[in-house]
């Protein structure tokens, strides 16, 4: 049975790191290094050189329940606790990794690669990394500001350094590092810089403001930005598309009840409906008063915000509202202004608040991801009194998202990629034949133990949540959301180690069967599988998409990537558990294959939503398909081998993933385990196939 809400509320905070860092907000005005010119030489400095930085040798990672917390130590503490290889690697500092013998074969390349990669494994068995991408992180800083919580000065320094390092030549920012400057990202980054204490005359801020004003100012910022600015009292709610909380009061059979929305959108909609329906806004202070006049091309007092409910500049938007939808929004505004009874408004608020409370308990205040975390933190900060336990817990949990790298600090999209990376790391080691070597078995045993502790063993308490028992999350168990392909890949990893490689059977048959039970529940009517839960609504709901920045998020669509993961997991499971729900598993596999065949494009490809193809994936696919031309595969593998460094490392080259077809996302560990997997498949599966193929030809 799920834990009661009361028992979870009594639990002490899981995120003590924020309190250990709390210090007055950083102000740049008294720091000499903000000067844009080198006083000694008079030469022009790069943006990244115009802001200060902390001492990278004093940062450490603390791990609690597999979540990473970056902590800045004082001088004496840093001497007592030397940096680990993992910490040095993430910060871009020289590591203690030794030079390895030059590989003479693909097997040597595998060995060198795993020697380096094993050094990045955490003590509890997982592999971690930064999971950065769309520039949603400033919203977390806004939530702290709205809650009147100080932003630790070390965070402020490194956040500004990250923005300075990644600014475009025109002074603005894109949705991801390689993207063109947009109104949304340039606005929220500029506001974040000012909240962090940077003066408007600082070159980084001044250039950003010039870029923003060239783009037309913040008036046509997409809806996500309008909500954040409205909470900061920098935008008027009459210019925001309405999200009435009363929709949660509707009967569940209504085809546009919010429970039918996808998990990507529903938690955001939940908190947004409270913010909009109650017109929440932080009281003005001198900084916000000044910002009102800095981010628009006209005086704030002269703007008629209701005329800008729908964008007139479409450079940021992936989707535009139809005339029909705009009529519906106008009706919603009329409803709340002239018709909505107070009792219904109060009832809707109570329902929304209860659902947000459940979300907090089910996710340890982490929420689903940065966008939903930001919205719910803003809602609670503006709803509850300052200093309430709920507000404090929300702000403390923000530290789980903060990620520090060589460019500075930003936020992860979720609080990590721990389960996803660990499952694939295990599979790569198995394909490479590393499980037979006693040197690597302790590493893989720890990974197995991590996967065991990360499986969800109880359902969530929140209404409208899909059953999660038996599933695995993308990141950590604390976050509490299972994902279809993460469950499938973790199931494969456990089966490979326990059933095929002789590892101790620490996960019971029942727990693996629970996983299959959940995968069967996740299948959509079309035979495919989405990410988080089965499809609940019609594709017509996409007409209600008001996100503008992101398209196709209203329902749980089926994806080829998730579906193929589930097919391979169920097939492997059936090999070892042929009698468990045999007919249902076989039928599920058959329906999934029909979906994949039906979604293949005329040129033979499938459209990928979540990832960018790389060389390792291409050769893995060719070898799995038993492509007979060895030279084609070899060319790809030789490239992989040639890119390996003398310490076994592969360097970061380009973003590996995509976010809802909108922005790039980094999966930094892909460059380790997929090359190892590809090389291993060649040695242990593809070469034996070629030998058989040649013998059959003779």
């Amino acid at each position: 049975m799920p834990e009661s809400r009361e028992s979870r509320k009594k639990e002490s905070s899981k995120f003590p790191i924020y309190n250990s860092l709390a210090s007055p907000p950083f102000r740049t005005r008294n720091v000499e290094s903000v000067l844009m010119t080198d006083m000694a030489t008079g030469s022009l400095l790069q943006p990244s050189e115009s802001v200060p930085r902390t001492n990278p040798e004093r940062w450490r990672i603390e791990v609690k329940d597999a979540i990473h917390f970056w902590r800045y130590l004082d001088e004496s503490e840093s001497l007592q606790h030397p940096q680990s290889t993992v910490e040095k690697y993430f910060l871009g500092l020289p590591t203690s990794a030794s030079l390895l013998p030059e590989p003479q074969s693909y097997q040597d390349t595998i060995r060198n690669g795993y020697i380096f990669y094993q050094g990045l494994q955490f003590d509890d068995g997982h592999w971690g990394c930064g999971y950065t991408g769309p520039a949603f992180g400033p919203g977390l800083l806004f939530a702290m500001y709205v809650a009147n919580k100080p932003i630790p000065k070390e965070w402020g320094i490194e956040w500004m350094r990250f923005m300075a390092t990644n600014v475009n030549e025109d002074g603005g920012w894109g949705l991801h590092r390689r993207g063109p400057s947009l109104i949304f990202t340039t606005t929220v980054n500029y506001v974040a810089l000012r909240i962090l204490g940077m003066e408007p005359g600082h070159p980084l801020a001044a250039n950003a403001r010039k870029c923003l004003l060239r783009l037309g100012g913040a008036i046509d910022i997409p809806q996500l930005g309008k909500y954040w600015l409205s909470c900061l009292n920098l935008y008027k709610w009459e210019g925001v598309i309405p999200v009435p909380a009363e929709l949660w009061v509707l009967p569940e059979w209504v085809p546009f009840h919010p429970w039918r929305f996808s998990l990507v959108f529903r938690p955001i909609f939940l908190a947004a409906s409270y913010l909009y329906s109650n017109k929440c806004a932080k009281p003005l202070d001198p900084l916000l008063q000044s910002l009102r006049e800095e981010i628009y091309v006209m005086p704030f007092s002269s703007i008629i915000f209701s005329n800008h409910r729908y964008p007139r500049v479409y450079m940021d938007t992936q989707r535009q509202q139809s005339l029909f939808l705009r009529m519906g929004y106008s009706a919603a505004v009329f409803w709340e202004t002239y018709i909505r009874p107070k009792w219904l408004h109060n009832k809707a608020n109570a329902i929304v608040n209860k659902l947000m409370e459940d979300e907090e308990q089910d996710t340890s205040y982490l929420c689903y991801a940065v966008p939903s975390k930001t919205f719910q933190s803003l809602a609670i900060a503006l709803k509850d009194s300052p200093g309430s336990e709920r507000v404090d817990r929300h702000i403390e949990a923000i530290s789980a998202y903060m990620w520090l790298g060589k460019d500075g600090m930003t936020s992860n999209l979720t609080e990590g990629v721990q389960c996803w990376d660990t499952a694939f790391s295990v599979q790569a080691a198995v394909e490479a034949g590393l499980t037979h070597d006693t040197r690597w078995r302790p590493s893989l045993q720890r990974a197995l133990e991590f996967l065991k502790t990360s499986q969800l063993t109880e359902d969530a308490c929140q209404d409208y949540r899909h059953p999660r028992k038996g599933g695995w999350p993308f990141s950590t168990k604390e976050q509490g959301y299972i994902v279809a392909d993460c469950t499938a890949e973790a199931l494969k990893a456990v089966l490979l180690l326990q059933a095929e490689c002789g590892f101790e059977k620490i996960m019971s048959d029942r727990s693996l069967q629970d996983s299959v039970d959940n995968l069967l529940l996740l299948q959509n009517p079309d035979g495919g599988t989405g990410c988080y839960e089965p499809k609940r609504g019609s594709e017509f709901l996409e007409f209600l998409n008001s996100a503008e920045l992101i398209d196709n998020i209203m329902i749980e669509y089926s994806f080829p990537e998730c579906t193929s993961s589930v097919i391979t997991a169920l097939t492997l499971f059936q090999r070892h558990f042929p009698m468990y729900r045999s007919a249902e598993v076989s039928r599920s596999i058959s329906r999934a294959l029909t979906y994949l065949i039906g979604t293949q494009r005329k040129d033979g490809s499938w459209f990928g939503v979540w990832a960018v193809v790389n060389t390792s994936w291409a050769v893995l696919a060719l070898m799995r398909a038993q492509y007979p031309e060895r030279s084609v595969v070899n060319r790809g593998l030789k490239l992989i081998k040639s890119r390996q460094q003398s310490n076994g490392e592969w360097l970061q080259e380009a973003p590996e993933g995509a976010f809802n077809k909108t922005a790039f996302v980094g999966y930094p560990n892909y460059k380790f385990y997929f090359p190892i997997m590809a090389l291993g498949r060649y040695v242990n599966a593809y070469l034996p196939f070629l030998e058989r193929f040649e013998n059959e030809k003779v």
Side-chain angles (χ1 to χ4, degrees):
M1 293 292 292
E3 296 177 75
S4 69
R5 189 179 304 114
E6 289 72 21
S7 66
R8 296 190 187 195
K9 282 183 176 178
K10 293 177 182 177
E11 193 174 331
S12 62
S13 172
K14 295 177 180 291
F15 310 108
I17 309 302
Y18 168 77
N19 290 329
S20 71
L21 274 173
S23 53
F26 177 71
R27 294 282 186 253
T28 64
R29 61 173 68 93
N30 294 320
V31 181
E32 291 182 356
S33 54
V34 304
L35 297 177
M36 201 57 178
T37 57
D38 186 324
M39 298 303 293
T41 65
S43 60
L44 187 68
L45 296 179
Q46 296 299 314
S48 59
E49 297 175 291
S50 70
V51 296
R53 68 173 300 174
T54 61
N55 182 350
E57 296 180 358
R58 287 170 55 183
W59 285 96
R60 302 292 184 272
I61 298 176
E62 293 190 13
V63 179
K64 184 174 183 180
D65 297 321
I67 302 173
H68 311 126
F69 302 96
W70 283 97
R71 185 180 177 197
Y72 195 63
L73 306 184
D74 61 34
E75 202 73 55
S76 60
E77 281 184 298
S78 64
L79 293 174
Q80 295 171 17
H81 303 282
Q83 275 183 328
S84 67
T85 297
V86 177
E87 291 159 343
K88 292 177 181 178
Y89 174 76
F90 289 141
L91 293 168
L93 300 175
T95 68
S96 56
S98 57
L99 300 183
L100 301 171
E102 184 176 348
Q104 303 301 313
S105 65
Y106 291 154
Q107 196 69 54
D108 292 342
T109 308
I110 292 170
R111 179 203 62 214
N112 288 358
Y114 198 78
I115 286 174
F116 183 88
Y117 187 48
Q118 182 188 232
L120 303 182
Q121 187 179 24
F122 285 86
D123 291 342
D124 66 356
H126 81 271
W127 277 271
C129 62
Y131 178 53
T132 60
F136 297 147
L140 298 176
L141 303 180
F142 299 164
M144 296 178 74
Y145 188 75
V146 166
N148 297 317
K149 298 294 183 180
I151 298 170
K153 66 179 181 180
E154 299 85 5
W155 288 13
I157 292 170
E158 292 299 333
W159 263 96
M160 288 191 291
R161 188 166 71 87
F162 181 85
M163 289 188 233
T165 303
N166 292 283
V167 68
N168 290 334
E169 289 185 4
D170 62 4
W173 292 269
L175 194 57
H176 49 81
R177 293 195 194 190
R178 299 191 174 197
S181 296
L182 299 177
I183 296 172
F184 170 75
T185 38
T186 304
T187 300
V188 299
N189 279 342
Y190 177 78
V191 173
L193 287 173
R194 297 285 285 114
I195 284 176
L196 291 171
M198 184 173 283
E199 296 295 341
H202 184 283
L204 181 63
N207 289 338
R209 185 180 178 217
K210 289 177 184 177
C211 177
L212 175 60
L213 297 182
R214 282 197 303 270
L215 294 172
I219 192 62
D220 281 318
I221 192 171
Q223 295 300 316
L224 179 64
K226 288 182 180 181
Y227 270 83
W228 293 357
L229 294 184
S230 296
C231 291
L232 288 168
N233 221 329
L234 301 178
Y235 207 93
K236 291 293 186 180
W237 281 107
E238 54 261 35
V240 178
I241 285 177
V243 179
E246 292 76 39
L247 289 178
W248 293 98
V249 183
L250 295 172
E252 292 181 11
W253 55 261
V254 173
F256 52 86
H257 189 289
W259 85 276
R260 299 182 184 277
F261 299 162
S262 74
L263 190 81
V264 172
F265 188 69
R266 191 169 67 239
I268 298 173
F269 184 93
L270 175 68
S273 68
Y274 181 88
L275 290 167
Y276 176 82
S277 296
N278 295 278
K279 306 298 185 289
C280 301
K282 178 179 173 62
L284 282 176
D285 59 28
L287 174 60
L288 297 178
Q289 197 74 256
S290 178
L291 277 167
R292 280 184 164 192
E293 304 307 324
E294 294 172 23
I295 61 176
Y296 298 103
V297 296
M298 62 193 79
F300 185 88
S301 60
S302 70
I303 301 173
I304 303 174
F305 284 89
S306 59
N307 291 344
H308 297 271
R309 185 173 295 135
Y310 314 111
R312 296 179 297 176
V313 178
Y314 294 102
M315 61 182 302
D316 284 30
T317 59
Q318 294 287 323
R319 189 181 188 92
Q320 301 173 20
Q321 287 83 26
S322 66
L323 177 61
F324 174 79
L325 190 57
R326 293 186 181 197
M327 292 171 61
Y329 289 142
S330 297
V333 172
F334 185 85
W335 151 262
E336 70 173 72
T337 306
Y338 300 107
I339 301 175
R340 181 181 65 189
K342 183 68 174 177
W343 68 266
L344 186 60
H345 175 63
N346 292 338
K347 181 177 181 179
N349 274 343
I351 291 173
V352 168
N353 184 57
K354 192 265 183 185
L355 290 171
M356 289 196 294
E357 281 186 337
D358 289 345
E359 173 78 352
E360 292 158 2
Q361 307 312 316
D362 286 334
T363 67
S364 301
Y365 286 81
L366 290 166
C367 302
Y368 155 66
V370 161
S372 60
K373 171 63 180 170
T374 297
F375 271 87
Q376 188 148 337
S377 296
L378 286 168
I380 301 308
L382 291 166
K383 171 187 174 297
D384 287 17
S385 57
S388 74
E389 181 184 0
R390 261 181 110 181
V391 173
D392 288 347
R393 294 287 298 274
H394 264 292
I395 300 306
E396 289 164 5
I398 286 175
S399 59
Y401 284 93
M402 296 297 163
W403 184 258
L404 186 65
K406 64 179 182 179
D407 289 345
M409 180 172 278
T410 184
S411 76
N412 282 334
L413 190 55
T414 63
E415 88 287 9
V417 200
Q418 292 87 323
C419 280
W420 181 249
D421 273 348
T422 303
F424 276 120
S425 299
V426 167
Q427 294 177 47
V430 172
E431 287 236 34
L434 300 179
T435 58
H436 307 301
D437 193 321
T438 55
R439 289 177 296 175
W440 318 125
R441 288 182 75 89
S443 165
L444 296 171
Q445 180 64 41
R446 296 204 314 275
L448 176 60
E449 291 166 358
F450 171 74
L451 291 175
K452 177 183 184 298
T453 59
S454 298
Q455 187 184 35
L456 276 297
T457 56
E458 60 182 27
D459 288 333
C461 65
Q462 188 195 71
D463 293 339
Y464 311 131
R465 284 283 298 274
H466 176 78
R468 65 183 187 181
K469 182 180 179 182
W472 271 275
F474 178 69
S475 51
T476 66
K477 188 174 184 177
E478 289 299 308
Q479 188 251 16
Y481 278 99
I482 67 164
V483 190
D485 51 354
C486 299
T487 298
E489 300 301 341
L491 175 61
K492 285 193 289 186
V494 172
L495 285 169
L496 288 170
L497 290 180
Q498 291 192 168
E500 299 191 0
C501 296
F503 280 72
E504 181 185 357
K505 191 176 178 180
I506 62 174
M507 292 200 70
S508 67
D509 292 350
R510 181 64 260 172
S511 64
L512 302 182
Q513 290 163 0
D514 287 342
S515 176
V516 170
D517 291 345
N518 209 309
L519 289 176
L520 294 177
L521 287 174
L522 285 164
Q523 191 167 37
N524 280 329
D526 63 4
T529 303
C531 290
Y532 306 100
E533 53 197 16
K535 180 180 176 182
R536 296 176 175 180
S538 163
E539 293 185 18
F540 287 109
L541 285 175
E542 206 62 54
F543 287 109
L544 300 181
N545 183 357
S546 60
E548 296 178 347
L549 274 173
I550 305 171
D551 201 3
N552 295 331
I553 60 167
M554 294 300 293
I555 60 172
E556 288 284 352
Y557 295 94
S558 294
F559 299 116
E561 302 100 309
C562 300
T563 305
S564 59
S565 286
V566 173
I567 289 173
T568 53
L570 292 179
T571 301
L572 182 61
F573 176 83
Q574 221 175 25
R575 184 193 307 169
H576 297 287
F577 295 87
M579 303 307 295
Y580 185 76
R581 301 185 67 175
S582 176
E584 294 162 276
V585 172
S586 296
R587 184 165 57 252
S588 177
I589 293 172
S590 177
R591 292 177 57 221
L593 289 170
T594 300
Y595 162 80
L596 282 180
I597 293 170
T599 54
Q600 188 178 28
R601 301 197 292 189
K602 290 182 179 180
D603 62 2
S605 67
W606 281 267
F607 184 81
V609 175
W610 297 105
V612 178
V613 175
N614 57 44
T615 302
S616 296
W617 286 8
V619 294
L620 280 165
L622 289 171
M623 289 187 286
R624 179 66 74 193
Q626 297 186 336
Y627 184 70
E629 295 294 331
R630 181 190 304 203
S631 61
V632 176
V633 174
N634 251 325
R635 283 202 303 273
L637 294 175
K638 285 179 180 178
L639 182 141
I640 292 170
K641 181 174 179 289
S642 71
R643 298 284 176 88
Q644 189 179 50
Q645 306 301 298
S646 56
N647 61 359
E649 178 185 7
W650 281 280
L651 301 179
Q652 190 71 26
E653 296 178 343
E656 302 86 356
F659 176 80
N660 282 80
K661 302 185 293 184
T662 302
F664 290 127
V665 179
Y667 291 84
N669 287 335
Y670 277 15
K671 65 180 179 288
F672 295 115
Y673 50 73
F674 282 124
I676 291 172
M677 186 183 292
L679 294 164
R681 184 172 295 177
Y682 180 85
V683 172
N684 299 310
Y686 187 63
L687 282 182
F689 154 71
L690 289 177
E691 291 176 6
R692 293 193 305 271
F693 181 75
E694 293 296 328
N695 290 335
E696 289 172 2
K697 285 174 62 177
V698 173

